[in-house]
Amino acid sequence: MRFPRTPLAALALLPVLVLLPCAAPAPAGGQADAPKLNPNKPPGPAPEGMVWIPGGEFYMGIAKEQLPRGLPAAHHFRDAWPVHKVYVDGFWMDRTEVTNEQFAQFVKATGHVTHAERKPDPRDFPGVPADKVPKEPFSVVFVMPKGQDKELEPLSWWKVVPGACWKHPEGPGSDLTGRGKHPVVHVAWEDAAAYAKWAGKRLPTEAEWEFAARGGLDRKLYAWGDEQKPGGKWQCNVWQGTFPTTNTAEDGFAGLAPVASFPANGYGLHDMAGNAWEWCADFYRADYYEDSPARNPRGPATSHDPFDPGIVKRVVRGGSFLCADNYCMRYLPGARNKAEPTSTASHTGFRCVMELTQAGKK
Ligand SMILES: [Ca+2]
Ligand SMILES: [Cu+2]
C-alpha cells in the first residue's frame, strides 16, 4: 500500500456536493433481451452457513442513466459501464461476511499471522522512502475527524494505528469483546484467500459476487430494488449524515453491525450492501468491462487503476458502513472498487464461495 493511502484514496480529490433525493428508475429490460437465470435447484444440502446461488445470465454493471440525478461522484461508476450480459455457473456462497468468531477459529487452527500483524515490508510501499515506512505493524482505522467538512485535509479521517489488526480493531486498547458476530476487518487479500483455502472455499470472482448481490433481480440500482429506503427503512448499514463529520446512524449502527442485522436479499445473502467491503478474487482493471469474457469471467491477467498507475489492485465490492450519499455511494450491487492487496483497513473484510467441485472436499 502507499502510505498512508487507503482504498478510498482517489475519492478525496473529488468535490463534495449535495445528493438530490431523486432516483431514476433502471431502464426497462426488453423481454427479448431479458437475462435467463438457471433454475434455482440446489444440487444438494447447503454447506453450513452457505446458500445456493443458481447462476445464469445477468446484466453486469450500472448504466449512467440509472444513477440518481445529481450524484456528487457519478464518475465513481465510470468503471462499471458498459452494462454487459454475463453468464456465471451456480455456486455456494457464505450467507454473511466472515465474522471475527469464524476468523478466530481459522487462526487457532492454522497459527495464521495476518498481514497487519507483521512488520511492514518496504517493498509493499512503492514510492515511499524506506525511512518513512512504519517500523511497527499497523493498520488503517477510520477516526471521525473534528472540524468543518470544508476544512478537512483529504483522507484525514484515516489514521495509521500501530498495533491495529483484526483482533484489535481500533488499536492495542481495543478487542473483540461483544464483536464476535461482526465482520472480521483489517484483513489483506492474502489473509482472506488463506482463510478461504482453509475452509475448503475460495474468494468469489467479481462476476459471481455481483450476480449474487443482485439476488435474482434484473438491472436494479439497489440489491433490494429501485428504492433506496422502501417504507422509509434502511436496508443496509451505510452512513447517514454528512460524511465524514456527522454520522446520525439512522440505520441503527454508527460503525460495523453484527452480520445479518439487515434483511437478506433474494438469494438469502445478508450485507451484500454496506457493513464491510468484501475482497474478490479478481485483479482490478477500470476498463475490464469493455472486453471481458461473456462466460464465467475471472478478471484480467493484470491490474490497472488509472487513479494509481503502476500499483497492483484487487477488486473489493459492496461498500461499507462509511458509504454516504455525499461521498461514496458504492454500496450499489453494480458498483466497483479496488484496493491494494496488502492494504488493510477497519472497513474491509470478505466472504467466500464454494464451487460444486469443492463441495464435500473438506
Ligand atoms: Ca450505519
Ligand atoms: Cu462507499
Side-chain angles (χ1 to χ4, degrees):
M1 78 188 289
R2 295 210 295 164
F3 173 77
R5 297 192 72 158
T6 76
L8 297 174
L11 305 187
L13 311 169
L14 308 170
V16 173
L17 305 169
V18 177
L19 175 71
L20 302 176
C22 173
Q31 266 324 90
D33 61 351
K36 291 181 197 68
L37 300 178
N38 293 336
N40 195 352
K41 282 215 191 80
E48 197 191 333
M50 302 188 95
V51 292
W52 177 246
I53 310 297
E57 291 176 345
F58 75 114
Y59 283 98
M60 189 168 181
I62 301 181
K64 221 186 286 188
E65 305 73 41
Q66 268 186 289
L67 295 170
R69 256 177 279 158
L71 193 68
H75 56 279
H76 281 167
F77 304 94
R78 213 179 272 158
D79 57 0
W81 60 68
V83 171
H84 56 297
K85 204 191 261 181
V86 171
Y87 175 90
V88 292
D89 290 324
F91 54 95
W92 304 100
M93 188 176 224
D94 289 341
R95 278 180 54 239
T96 70
E97 290 153 348
V98 172
T99 63
N100 286 319
E101 272 174 11
Q102 291 172 319
F103 199 79
Q105 285 176 11
F106 156 66
V107 167
K108 197 171 163 207
T110 61
H112 183 87
V113 177
T114 62
H115 192 87
E117 295 170 280
R118 301 203 294 264
K119 194 173 156 57
D121 182 341
R123 285 172 299 184
D124 289 334
F125 301 84
V128 178
D131 63 326
K132 291 276 191 299
V133 172
K135 297 282 176 288
E136 297 306 316
F138 74 94
S139 193
V140 175
V141 178
F142 172 82
V143 179
M144 191 189 277
K146 297 199 171 57
Q148 296 298 311
D149 294 298
K150 287 188 189 71
E151 295 163 5
L152 291 174
E153 288 288 323
L155 299 180
S156 57
W157 45 89
W158 289 113
K159 299 283 180 234
V160 170
V161 178
C165 67
W166 72 276
K167 51 189 166 176
H168 302 291
E170 286 88 45
S174 63
D175 63 24
L176 298 183
T177 307
R179 298 196 235 190
K181 301 277 189 237
H182 283 203
V184 65
V185 290
H186 295 300
V187 285
W189 186 88
E190 62 179 78
D191 300 319
Y195 174 98
K197 196 170 174 206
W198 169 79
K201 305 178 185 179
R202 62 168 171 77
L203 294 178
T205 67
E206 183 172 24
E208 287 169 340
W209 194 97
E210 182 169 330
F211 181 93
R214 292 183 175 281
L217 301 176
D218 180 17
R219 282 166 280 187
K220 296 298 185 191
L221 187 61
Y222 299 97
W224 49 87
D226 293 320
E227 244 190 291
Q228 187 181 44
K229 283 194 289 175
K233 281 191 90 125
W234 286 96
Q235 302 295 305
C236 63
N237 181 17
V238 290
W239 180 291
Q240 296 85 36
T242 307
F243 183 89
T245 50
T246 313
N247 184 353
T248 66
E250 196 184 298
D251 58 21
F253 301 93
L256 289 169
V259 298
S261 293
F262 291 82
N265 78 355
Y267 290 140
L269 300 168
H270 294 272
D271 306 305
M272 293 300 277
N275 217 23
W277 285 102
E278 301 181 10
W279 287 111
C280 289
D282 301 19
F283 283 116
Y284 171 82
R285 276 197 75 91
D287 58 4
Y288 185 52
Y289 288 5
E290 284 166 25
D291 63 351
S292 56
R295 284 183 76 85
N296 296 313
R298 302 207 161 256
T302 56
S303 92
H304 177 64
D305 177 1
F307 288 103
D308 228 359
I311 304 294
V312 173
K313 302 275 174 89
R314 297 272 185 179
V315 171
V316 289
R317 285 300 206 109
S320 79
F321 66 96
L322 298 174
C323 282
D325 290 354
N326 73 305
Y327 185 70
C328 163
M329 213 186 159
R330 285 184 282 192
Y331 59 91
L332 307 177
R336 310 178 68 201
N337 202 0
K338 65 273 173 171
E340 289 154 85
T342 55
S343 66
T344 61
S346 58
H347 68 344
T348 303
F350 67 104
R351 79 177 73 207
C352 306
V353 297
M354 193 188 277
E355 293 177 27
L356 279 183
T357 53
Q358 291 175 295
K361 290 244 171 89
K362 191 176 185 264

